Amino acid sequence: MRRLALALPDTLEGDDHFGFSVLNKGKQKGFAWSWAERVVAKKPRVPRPDVLAVRVANESEKQLLLASDEEKFFTEPHYNGFPAVLIRLPRIDVDELNELLTDAWRSQAPRALVKEFDERAGGGA
């Protein structure tokens, strides 16, 4: 996962937590991070290295992913109204994870950087 995320242009890895962001207008915009589960009410969340939170373009894309495979994708009340899905990493293959990370990066990266990335890749979104 780290190798896939860091292969995307201008991607930074978090210093204080496991997550990835891209610089956009001088601000780090997160596109993937380790999920922290609330195991006990009113206690700190517990990091889950087997689950990754990934940004999506919008609520429609989120609902499509959730409906496509409930063993692979899920959400929780904390993410209601927020464009991100939770992914059970043991259930996803590398190619699909790469596609999801790239789409997440696209949703946060500056348009000019996305265009440059697409031109270098020989395709477009």
Side-chain angles (χ1 to χ4, degrees):
M1 172 178 35
R2 177 178 275 122
R3 177 184 55 82
L4 297 173
L6 291 175
L8 297 164
D10 291 354
T11 293
L12 306 166
E13 185 171 358
D15 292 333
D16 59 344
H17 66 283
F18 185 78
F20 301 95
S21 61
V22 61
L23 203 59
N24 190 336
K25 297 180 183 173
K27 294 183 180 181
Q28 290 186 32
K29 300 288 188 170
F31 64 88
W33 57 93
S34 178
W35 178 54
E37 180 179 16
R38 175 88 59 207
V39 177
V40 179
K42 299 186 181 186
K43 296 287 184 184
R45 290 177 171 265
V46 178
R48 288 278 306 268
D50 63 325
V51 177
L52 185 69
V54 176
R55 285 290 297 239
V56 294
N58 53 46
E59 186 67 22
S60 295
E61 184 177 335
K62 177 179 181 173
Q63 293 307 318
L64 283 172
L65 284 169
L66 292 171
S68 73
D69 189 335
E70 63 186 36
E71 292 296 314
K72 196 181 295 182
F73 305 109
F74 70 104
T75 191
E76 66 164 345
H78 179 74
Y79 287 92
N80 287 350
F82 187 76
V85 295
L86 300 168
I87 303 170
R88 292 179 179 95
L89 292 173
R91 303 226 182 249
I92 193 162
D93 67 44
V94 173
D95 290 337
E96 188 174 16
L97 180 59
N98 188 47
E99 182 180 339
L100 289 165
L101 286 171
T102 301
D103 288 348
W105 173 86
R106 285 175 189 283
S107 75
Q108 296 294 80
R111 283 185 228 158
L113 185 59
V114 172
K115 182 179 180 194
E116 182 183 314
F117 175 76
D118 289 343
E119 288 170 354
R120 276 189 280 134

